[in-house]
Structure formats: structure tokens, C-alpha cells
């Protein structure tokens, strides 16, 4: 196999190894096989074109065309386009699938399901990076520069996945692939000069010749392998040795990874982690607007889901069947008697932001009917509406919807709650379960706090008062969000957290006392506007416990000591010791998108719901309402992107202009001669260093097709070069019009070629290859210095041991 063929193989291998870093983004690695096969075909097409040989541009074009055809035929028919015929099958359908993939990336959590759209994005992205690497490393023979697209691929994958336990494996694979490609190019370059350095015989001559005594060559290839291995080892070891680097290249913020902080509208698997990020969000954006005839608007929470199963690891919504949305919802469980007769029905009109892609409908509790367009399903126990499946991997969501909810306004009194009979045995058995690994301190604290209470209502109020008033707890959204049994015990000890900790702890402690309890996730009432509407914003995300009382049903309590949150009137005990003192102004925190999801049974649960927490809690999405202007950061980011897009293509032009001015400004003949040679090279006249100045000038004139004035200018410059090389010392070699002659020759060379060649000479000058040569020379000098130093150390070590 030739050196260039080996380099082709290693370039494809480097791309494939680096693409492994994308594997944490999806829940299956089946796409890697497709990417590998298509990458092999693409590399084979490039190798064949170079063997013909074809021009570099034609080689890249052939690889790109074959890759596009393979992608089209592999994924055609899997999209959902409206066109008919071959064109729609191959092009329109392909584009629709690509757009669906972009939408899927915004909908699903990491790891996302491997939909056809996401598979297309992954495979096409790897092929694009592979084409860039093959072009730079093999076609253009600059393997070092091929590391840039590989770095871009790894950086995007690491940034989206947030690091993780296997991130060092991805880094190691990517680094090894790049080093193998560099070594393959180095051996190919050495082979062009003759035989690659070999080993010296064993014996004394080995030390004298600078070769190791083990019969192995201390050639640049061997030292390259050593330097690469040392570099990779340091890159892996240093972050582990220095704690400050834990969040760097190989580290990762697990909380960011769970919350979907990669940007866009990615849904988090854990709604409570996303809730914390919403509370800490700098950009407090509005996600919902509503109007209501509820006279107690400050009590109207918008509830998304109830987490009713505590398995010791986390709270989640248990799997239940979904049914069609009824015109009139059934009576809430447990509601009856005087509380039902005194209830009134209120109406709330809600409008969601255009980019609010929540699949679970925020509603006041308990809702009695919902009017909304689209396809929705109803989960009766949690009384939640869930977006139905619209197509392949597409689901209904609340994005931009306007809907009307009718709900009951319940006003239970403390006496009614205190005199509530024992709960239904089925309710009590299901909602008082606690995991076996729940620390004993949780039940002990619950009994200690409620000591002397004779009924469940008094116990509930004492627990609320313990957290909100008398227990010494502090509200802090920066506290790590735990969801397991140990997190509850840790919270009771540290006494610091946010609404998740308070809700979880009160619900768990209530269950240990035999009070049915669950945790609700949703939004606080929001902030009332001057026109009567109410805005619900990002920091209105909230979690609260719901306790069950027979005759009243599920009842909200507020243990969170947060400003702007109202304690329900019925939970204000009539004794001084059990009266929380939370303030009662309207909440001004805005909310975003907590999202927890009701789940369904195995045969009715859509695939993506299984991905969003095993048909349990789903999670919110980040949203950008249409009525909020772009932030300063976004404007600056887009401005920087525009400058980069416009400025990068102009960098070679700016570099050549600056270099030309510097060369001609010196007034030196040889420097001006080099500039003339580079100018001719830019238009296609490759320099020939073996020719004399006069012959080289004639060659430039002939191949460049220069007119008389430009021809004379070239020969004047060549005559000055001859004088500089051969004139006796002290002779005058330069002349005043030297720079003008070079510029005149340059104008003639550019005028003699067509517009495409002229643009190529200006925007992509061939003489820019000198930059790569200079970089290679510096790298070679550095490698030689390191090699010499290592050799010196190895030769000295045995002498020290003998002394």
C-alpha cells in the first residue's frame, strides 16, 4: 500500500474515532455503522480520483456528490413531504427529514432516541467532517491542519454531552486517531526522500550513532510516537491531578448535563433539575399569559403533573393509562360533602409563548373541562393533559396555543380538614409508601415535630410550620438538587435548599405519619399586569406537596419560605404555634418550564415519553417568547458570528496585502524578487528555484502572458537580482522604481487571467502554502530539540548508574 493510501485510511480512521464522542448524545450507537460504511466509500472515491489523477477541486466535488447521493438513497422515503414523484422522493423528502431531525434535537433530552432525523444529522455531520479531514490531510497534504475539523467535532460533542464518566475514553480515541494520521503523513514524507530511517546493529556503534542499543530506531517517527504518547498521557492525567480543571476538557457539570443546558429547547429528563435552572435563570422570560375570573387569583397555581411514586432514588409520576379527553372531567378524588357544595367554577384563558414546547398542559387544579385545539390525551388520576402522537416521533405540544380551562375554586376550612374522616384504604396504601432505604431520621423528625397532635390536619400544619417558620430552614436555589431518600435526610441536617427540597421532605415525612402525600410541579400564580392579565415567567417554576383529606381531596400546602408565595388560608392553624408567617404579596418571580409528565402503560405510552423518564415525569423546555426582544448577549453573539463568516474568507487577502507591503517597503532586491515570484505563483506560475533569475523572469513572462510594460518591469527586477547576487561588494544593486516594477508586473499577471483565476489569486493565494511550510519547519525544529534532549538524557542515565 502506498504512503498516500495509508494516509487516506488513517484520515478516515481518525474521523471515525473522533465521531465516537457523539455516542453519548443518543441512546443507540447503530448510526456509527452507517457512518463508517459511508465514510469508507467517501474515502475510496477520493483515493480513486487522486490516482487518476483529477484536480483537487474535482476530487472534493466527486466525494461530495457521492456522499450526498448515498445519504439521499439511504434516508429517502423516511421523511414526510407532501410532494410526489422521484424529485419529492429524493430531494423534498430528504429535506423534510433533515428539518425533522433539527426539530427532534430541540425536543428530546440527552441521550435522545435515535430517530431517523437525528440519525441523518449524525451521519451527515460525520461525513462532512470526514470530507474536510480527507481534503486537508490527503488531498492538500496538510495533516496538521486536519486536526481543526476533528477538534470542532469533539468540542461540539463534549459541549452537548457535558462530559461524563466516559469522556476521557472519547478524548483518548480522538487523540490517538489524530496522532496516527500525523505519523502516517510523516512516514510518507520521509519515504519520498528514500528509505525511512532504520535501526543500527546492536553494539557500541549504537551509542555513537545516536541509536538505541536495543536495535530500535531513534528516528523522528519513533520520537513522534513518544511525544504523542506523553502528550496524551499529560492531557488525561493533569485534569485529574488538579481539581480546578475538573470542569474543563474532560470534566463536566453534571447538573448542566441533566438540565439540558446545551441551548435551544432541549427537554430535561429530571423536571426538578430544570426547575432549579429556571429559578436561577438570568433571563426571566414570560412563557404563559392568562386572564381569569377567579377572585382569588393569588391562589391560582398552574399545575403540570403530580409525582406520586417515591422509589428511594427519585420522585416520579407512576405509569398510568391515557384516555381520550372527556368533555366534562370526572369529579376529583376525595371531594364531596360541604366542600363540594360551596365550590364555584372559574374560567381561565391561557396563551402560551410561541416557543413554549411543553407537551403537558399547565392548568389550575382541579380542572373540570378544557377547550384546546390539537390532539391531546387525558390521564385521569393525575388529571393531566398530554400531547398525543402526531406522526413519526412528533407529538402535540402547547406551543403558541390559546386554551380555556374551567376549574373548581375550593375553599375548605381548617375545621373541615381537621374533622376529615380516615382516607380510603386504597388511597392510603398507595400514597403512604416509603422506600426501604429511607433514613430513620426522616420518620423520627416527623414524629418529634408533630408530637402531641391528634389528627392528620394538625400534623400537616406543624410540618409546614417546621419548614416555613420554626425549623431554621433557609431558601437557597444554589443548593444541589437531590431527589433520593438520602437527599431528604441531608436536607434535614443542612437546613438549606429550594422548593424541591421542602416539597419532597414534607411529602416524605407526611407519608411516614400515615398521611397520603405526593409532590406537584408547576407554576406559581405569576404577576398581575395593569391590563388585568397575568404573566407567568421563568422563575415562577415551583414544586409543592399535596396531602389527601377525605371529603376535600388533594390539598396544597406551602412549606417553602420563599418571598412572594402565599400560604393557603386553610393551612393557617388556629393555634399560635402552627401559623406560618410567609408574606402574602403577589409573586413576582416568573416561571419557565418545569415539566413533569404523566405516564402511560407500556402499550399506550409513546416511545418518546419512555425516553422522557420511563413514562414518568417529563421535563420542561427553554423558551423564548415572541414579545421579548433579543438580549445584548444574543446580539453580540450574532454580530461576532457575522463578522467571523465575512472575515474568515478575507484573511488570506489581508495576509497577502500586509506581506506585500512589508516586503516592498524594505527596498531589498531579493525580498522584492520573492514577492514577484509569489505573485506569479498565485496566478498559477509555479516557482522553479533551479532557474537563474533571467531564465525565471522569461518563464514568468511566457507563462503569465505579460504585455510589454509588465515584461520590461519583470526583466528590470531580474537584472537587479543578478547584480545583488554577482556584483562586487559595494556596488549599487537596487533602484528607486523597484517596488513600482513589482506592482506593475503584478497588475499584468492579474490582467492576463480570467475572473475566476483572479478571484482565486486574491482570496485563496497559492503562496499561502508558505505558512504551512513555516509551521512545519517550526514543528520540526521543536521535535528535533525535544528528540535531542531525550537522547541526551538517555545516554547520561547509564553513566550515572555506573558511578
Amino acid at each position: 500500500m502506498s504512503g498516500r493510501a495509508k494516509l487516506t485510511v488513517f484520515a478516515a480512521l481518525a474521523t471515525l474515532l473522533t465521531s465516537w464522542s457523539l455516542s453519548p448524545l443518543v441512546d443507540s450507537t447503530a448510526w456509527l455503522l452507517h457512518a463508517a460504511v459511508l465514510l469508507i466509500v467517501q474515502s475510496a472515491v477520493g483515493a480513486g480520483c487522486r490516482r487518476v489523477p483529477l484536480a483537487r477541486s474535482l476530487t472534493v466535488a466527486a466525494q461530495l456528490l457521492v456522499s450526498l447521493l448515498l445519504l439521499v438513497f439511504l434516508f429517502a422515503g423516511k421523511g414526510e413531504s407532501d410532494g410526489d414523484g422521484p424529485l419529492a422522493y429524493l430531494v423534498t423528502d430528504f429535506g423534510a427529514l433533515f428539518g425533522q431531525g433539527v426539530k427532534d434535537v430541540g425536543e428530546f433530552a440527552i441521550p435522545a432516541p435515535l430517530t431517523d432525523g437525528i440519525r441523518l444529522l449524525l451521519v451527515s455531520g460525520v461525513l462532512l467532517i470526514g470530507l474536510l479531514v480527507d481534503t486537508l490531510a490527503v488531498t492538500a497534504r496538510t495533516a496538521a491542519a486536519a486536526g481543526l475539523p476533528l477538534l470542532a467535532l469533539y468540542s461540539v460533542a463534549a459541549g452537548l454531552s457535558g462530559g461524563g464518566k466516559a469522556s476521557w475514553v472519547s478524548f483518548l480515541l480522538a487523540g490517538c486517531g489524530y496522532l496516527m494520521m500525523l505519523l502516517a503523513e510523516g512516514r510518507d514524507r520521509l519515504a519520498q526522500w528514500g528509505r525511512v530511517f532504520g535501526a543500527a546493529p546492536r553494539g557500541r556503534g549504537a551509542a555513537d550513532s545516536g541509536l538505541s542499543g536495543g536495535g530500535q530506531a531513534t528516528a523522528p517517527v519513533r520520537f513522534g510516537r513518544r511525544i504523542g504518547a506523553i502528550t496524551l498521557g499529560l492531557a488525561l492525567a493533569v485534569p485529574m491531578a488538579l481539581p480546578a480543571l475538573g470542569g474543563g476538557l474532560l470534566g463536566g457539570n453534571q447538573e448542566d448535563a441533566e438540565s439540558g443546558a446545551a441551548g435551544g429547547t432541549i427537554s430535561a429528563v429530571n423536571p426538578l433539575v430544570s426547575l432549579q435552572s429556571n429559578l436561577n435563570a438570568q433571563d426571566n422570560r414570560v412563557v404563559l399569559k392568562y386572564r381569569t375570573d377567579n377572585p382569588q387569583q393569588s391562589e391560582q397555581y398552574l399545575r403540570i403533573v403530580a409525582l406520586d411514586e417515591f422509589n428511594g432514588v427519585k420522585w416520579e409520576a407512576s405509569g398510568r393509562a391515557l384516555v381520550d379527553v372527556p368533555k366534562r372531567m370526572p369529579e376529583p378524588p376525595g371531594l364531596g360533602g360541604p366542600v363540594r357544595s360551596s365550590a364555584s367554577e372559574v374560567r381561565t384563558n391561557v396563551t402560551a409563548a410561541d416557543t413554549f414546547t411543553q407537551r403537558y398542559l399547565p392548568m389550575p387544579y382541579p380542572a373540570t373541562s378544557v377547550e384546546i385545539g390539537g390532539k391531546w390525551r387525558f390521564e385521569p388520576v393525575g388529571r393531566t393533559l398530554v400531547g398525543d402522537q402526531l406522526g413519526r416521533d412528533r407529538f402535540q405540544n402547547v406551543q403558541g396555543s390559546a386554551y380555556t380551562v374551567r376549574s373548581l375554586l375550593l375553599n375548605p376550612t381548617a375545621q373541615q380538614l381537621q374533622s376529615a374522616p380516615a382516607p380510603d384504604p386504597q388511597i392510603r396504601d398507595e400514597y403512604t409508601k416509603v422506600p426501604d432505604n429511607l433514613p430513620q431520621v426522616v420518620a423520627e423528625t416527623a414524629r418529634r415535630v408533630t408530637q402531641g397532635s391528634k389528627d392528620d390536619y394538625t400534623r400537616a400544619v406543624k410540618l409546614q410550620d417546621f419548614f416555613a417558620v420554626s425549623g431554621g430552614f433557609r431558601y437557597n436555589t444554589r443548593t444541589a438538587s437531590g431527589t433520593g431518600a438520602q437527599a431528604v435526610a441531608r436536607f434535614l441536617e443542612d437546613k438549606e435548599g429550594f422548593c424541591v427540597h421542602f416539597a419532597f421532605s414534607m411529602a416524605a415525612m407526611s407519608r411516614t405519619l400515615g398521611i397520603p402525600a405526593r409532590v406537584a410541579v408547576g407554576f406559581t400564580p405569576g404577576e398581575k399586569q395593569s391590563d388585568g392579565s397575568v404573566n407567568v415567567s421563568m422563575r415562577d417554576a415551583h414544586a409543592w406537596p399535596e396531602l389527601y383529606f377525605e371529603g376535600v381531596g388533594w390539598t396544597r400546602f406551602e412549606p417553602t419560605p420563599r418571598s412572594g408565595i402565599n400560604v393557603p388560608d386553610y393551612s393557617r392553624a388556629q393555634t399560635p404555634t402552627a401559623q406560618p408567617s410567609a408574606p402574602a404579596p403577589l409573586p413576582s418571580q416568573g416561571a419557565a418550564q418545569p415539566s413533569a409528565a404523566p405516564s402511560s402503560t407500556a402499550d399506550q405510552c409513546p416511545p418518546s415519553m419512555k425516553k422522557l423518564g420511563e413514562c414518568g415525569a417529563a421535563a420542561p423546555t427553554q423558551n423564548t417568547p415572541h414579545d421579548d426582544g433579543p438580549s445584548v448577549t444574543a446580539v453580540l453573539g450574532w454580530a461576532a458570528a457575522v463578522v467571523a463568516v465575512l472575515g474568515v474568507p478575507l484573511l488570506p487577502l489581508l495576509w497577502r496585502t500586509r506581506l506585500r507591503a512589508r516586503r516592498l517597503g524594505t527596498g531589498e532586491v531579493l525580498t522584492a524578487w520573492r514577492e514577484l515570484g509569489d505573485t506569479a505563483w498565485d496566478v498559477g506560475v509555479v516557482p522553479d528555484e533551479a532557474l537563474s533569475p533571467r531564465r525565471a523572469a522569461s518563464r514568468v513572462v511566457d507563462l503569465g502572458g505579460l504585455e510589454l510594460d509588465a515584461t520590461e518591469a519583470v526583466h528590470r527586477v531580474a537584472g537587479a537580482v543578478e547584480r545583488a547576487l554577482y556584483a562586487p561588494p559595494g556596488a549599487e544593486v537596487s533602484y528607486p522604481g523597484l517596488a513600482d516594477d513589482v506592482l506593475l508586473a503584478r497588475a499584468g499577471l492579474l490582467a492576463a487571467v480570467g475572473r475566476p483565476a483572479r478571484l482565486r489569486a486574491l482570496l485563496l493565494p497559492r503562496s499561502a502554502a508558505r505558512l504551512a511550510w513555516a509551521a512545519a519547519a517550526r514543528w520540526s525544529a521543536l521535535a528535533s530539540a525535544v528528540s535531542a534532549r531525550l537522547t541526551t538524557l538517555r545516554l547520561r542515565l547509564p553513566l550515572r548508574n555506573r558511578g
Side-chain angles (χ1 to χ4, degrees), residues 264-281:
T265 55
I266 296 177
S267 298
V269 174
N270 187 345
L272 305 165
V273 176
S274 183
L275 187 152
Q276 181 180 21
S277 66
N278 294 330
L279 294 174
N280 290 322

Side-chain angles (χ1 to χ4, degrees), residues 488-547:
V488 176
R490 186 167 55 250
F491 171 65
L492 293 177
E493 179 181 357
D494 297 341
K495 295 191 174 184
E496 186 175 67
F498 60 105
C499 57
V500 166
H501 301 90
F502 290 95
F504 279 6
S505 300
M506 181 170 175
M509 294 170 71
S510 298
R511 287 192 173 192
T512 64
L513 297 174
I515 307 174
R518 64 188 185 185
V519 176
V521 178
F523 304 96
T524 53
E527 183 175 4
K528 194 168 185 178
Q529 307 298 302
S530 58
D531 62 354
S533 64
V534 181
N535 287 351
V536 178
S537 315
M538 292 205 51
R539 287 194 290 271
D540 281 321
H542 190 47
W544 61 92
E546 291 182 341
L547 276 57

Side-chain angles (χ1 to χ4, degrees), residues 640-654 763-764:
V642 171
V643 171
V645 170
L646 298 178
V648 169
L650 298 178
L651 288 180
L653 173 63
L654 298 176
L763 299 179
L764 296 173

